Amino acid sequence: AHDINIEDVDRNGHMNNCRYSHLVDQALENDEKEIRRFEINYLMQCYMHENLVIKKCRKEKEIFVIGEKKEGLVFIAKILLK
């Protein structure tokens, strides 16, 4: 889980898109860092002091990382490994 703090938010008070990518990167193991393709779909915004739960699922060379908060799904990332 990730508690959204001042370092995560932009001037508008919601989580900066780059921070979502950083959370996805943190969810990956060292042997999952050679990426062929990366997609992320933003579904809902996050704000300071919210809690974001990160989950990962891997099937062979395809990885899905999702972020959820109590209101629902925030993002889905799809990663294809080399």
Side-chain angles (χ1 to χ4, degrees), residues 27-62:
L28 300 177
E29 302 294 329
N30 285 338
D31 67 335
E32 298 173 333
K33 301 278 182 164
E34 290 193 38
I35 296 171
R36 188 177 87 201
R37 184 175 179 160
F38 177 87
E39 298 174 18
I40 189 165
N41 292 306
Y42 304 100
L43 307 170
M44 184 185 312
Q45 294 186 17
C46 283
Y47 301 92
M48 196 147 92
H49 304 300
E50 290 186 314
N51 184 270
L52 191 57
V53 176
I54 309 299
K55 299 178 184 177
K56 180 179 82 167
C57 177
R58 179 176 177 175
K59 184 177 181 186
E60 298 176 15
K61 292 189 177 277
E62 189 172 63

Side-chain angles (χ1 to χ4, degrees), residues 2-9 19 47-50:
H2 178 77
D3 291 318
I4 299 168
N5 59 54
I6 191 72
E7 296 173 356
D8 297 320
V9 296
R19 297 300 292 166
Y47 301 92
M48 196 147 92
H49 304 300
E50 290 186 314

